[in-house]
Amino acid sequence: MPPPSATRARRCEYCAALLAPGPGGWQPAAHEACDEPLVDPARPRAWIGGARYALLGRLARGEGSDVFLARRDRRLTELVSIKALRAHGDRDLLEREQWVLESLENSRVAGAAHFTRLVPQRVAHGLARLGLHGDEGERRVSVMRWRSGFVHTMRDVLDAYPSGVSAETSVWMWKRILEQLGWTHRSGWVHGAVLPEHLIVHARDHGVVLVGWSRAARPGESLVALTEGAEDFYPSEAMNGVPVSTHTDLTMSARVMRKVLGSQSIPAPLAQLLETHARGDADMESDAWALKDRLDRVAREAFGPPRFVPFAMPGW
């Protein structure tokens, strides 16, 4: 069963009944609440999987989809994100993302109990009816659980710190990325789109998670699609259709971090490690965990024992 939502409500995987914690264990929740008095009735609504969601605002606009923050219309509500396609031609990518996420949810690789919580948590997927009564058109959507605190993309960080973040800040950011990539690779996938827009940052808690799994591929496959305008982050081999490998993700992660560091001063060993992997040199690590261990050693030599370095995004 997926982890509990912020409201602690769960949906039974057998009969789909909504359950809430109570004395002696899980009990049926009071009402599904679609017929309860509406909060903000003027807000746009979307129906999917028998549930109605109030759209609270757009979080992001991707190449072929929009991502909205939404709240379920019921007493035991929960926040979700809804990814809605703009163009029917991108339907295959949305379906592929569901397939990849399902595969990762079923991973039994060491660390799965932790890392499966970091990939987007699926709630519903399919054709959504729009409008208060579901009679104002349709859009194909994916509904994911909302992760509190993960509100900024790495692109937002680039915009907020145009001259770059400090070298110490870059270390924890890169380590969080490498940890998730290490587990992803051992689960049999290459993310294939490690880009600033697909890295969501929790500034206060020093968290970074990957989204945008629609372009993930098995090692040995070619990328199914490239992100327009992000050519500088892709290894040239991947751009030319050469099958992907763990090198693909590691090179992209290094290029993102090089961008995030901007013009900041960087200790020489860290700069060398970053450049080796950003260029995709022959002597670069091919294992994300090995690279993370090497980054640990380089950071300790440069900055001493690990310590918490506060990081903030403007306005938060």
Side-chain angles (χ1 to χ4, degrees):
M1 182 175 280
S5 66
T7 63
R8 302 188 66 203
R10 291 180 172 184
R11 187 164 293 280
C12 174
E13 294 182 353
Y14 178 71
C15 66
L18 188 68
L19 306 174
W26 293 96
Q27 299 179 358
H31 294 291
E32 288 286 338
C34 281
D35 57 350
E36 293 179 358
L38 287 175
V39 176
D40 297 329
R43 287 190 180 278
R45 254 71 178 182
W47 292 77
I48 182 169
R52 186 175 60 199
Y53 297 91
L55 305 185
L56 305 180
R58 187 161 62 186
L59 295 170
R61 182 178 175 85
E63 286 181 278
S65 62
D66 297 300
V67 181
F68 299 93
L69 176 65
R71 182 190 62 241
R72 187 164 181 181
D73 272 337
R74 64 181 184 187
R75 182 177 299 170
L76 287 173
T77 188
E78 63 178 340
L79 290 175
V80 297
S81 63
I82 296 181
K83 185 175 185 178
L85 279 187
R86 288 196 305 274
H88 184 75
D90 289 329
R91 175 178 174 175
D92 288 349
L93 288 176
L94 197 68
E95 301 295 332
R96 184 180 180 84
E97 184 172 54
Q98 292 291 306
W99 173 51
V100 173
L101 292 176
E102 182 178 7
S103 172
L104 291 172
E105 288 168 7
N106 292 323
S107 171
R108 295 295 180 265
V109 170
H114 170 68
F115 288 105
T116 52
R117 294 172 181 264
L118 300 185
V119 299
Q121 301 285 305
R122 298 180 305 143
V123 175
H125 172 71
L127 203 59
R129 294 182 291 117
L130 307 180
L132 191 59
H133 302 290
D135 55 358
E136 298 178 9
E138 297 177 332
R139 285 182 75 174
R140 187 159 291 278
V141 306
S142 293
V143 183
M144 310 287 185
R145 285 198 172 83
W146 172 251
R147 258 192 297 247
S148 178
F150 286 91
V151 294
H152 298 102
T153 67
M154 201 64 86
R155 177 63 64 189
D156 296 329
V157 174
L158 287 169
D159 292 340
Y161 291 85
S163 60
V165 304
S166 71
E168 283 185 276
T169 295
S170 76
V171 170
W172 68 255
M173 289 179 170
W174 201 11
K175 285 166 64 175
R176 296 293 90 77
I177 298 169
L178 293 174
E179 289 163 357
Q180 197 168 352
L181 289 178
W183 176 77
T184 299
H185 294 163
R186 292 186 182 182
S187 297
W189 288 98
V190 173
H191 184 276
V194 184
L195 302 170
E197 292 77 6
H198 294 158
L199 294 163
I200 311 298
V201 178
H202 194 308
R204 186 195 64 191
D205 292 352
H206 289 190
V208 182
V209 295
L210 281 159
V211 297
W213 291 89
S214 62
R215 290 160 170 79
R218 296 289 191 184
E221 295 178 346
S222 298
L223 291 179
V224 297
L226 300 170
T227 298
E228 189 176 349
E231 291 80 4
D232 289 347
F233 295 103
Y234 287 99
S236 57
E237 298 83 3
M239 294 280 291
N240 294 325
V242 173
V244 297
S245 69
T246 57
H247 280 170
T248 308
D249 282 346
L250 299 188
T251 294
M252 295 186 80
S253 74
R255 292 184 180 187
V256 169
M257 295 317 304
R258 185 172 61 183
K259 185 81 172 177
V260 170
L261 277 161
S263 59
Q264 291 288 316
S265 174
I266 313 170
L270 177 59
Q272 181 179 356
L273 182 66
L274 198 58
E275 284 303 316
T276 295
H277 289 78
R279 290 193 302 261
D281 289 353
D283 60 343
M284 68 179 284
E285 274 86 356
S286 59
D287 181 90
W289 290 110
L291 175 55
K292 189 254 184 185
D293 289 343
R294 188 172 167 192
L295 176 59
D296 277 335
R297 293 194 297 273
V298 167
R300 183 178 286 270
E301 291 171 6
F303 307 115
R307 64 188 182 94
F308 186 82
V309 179
F311 176 71
M313 288 293 287
W316 287 77

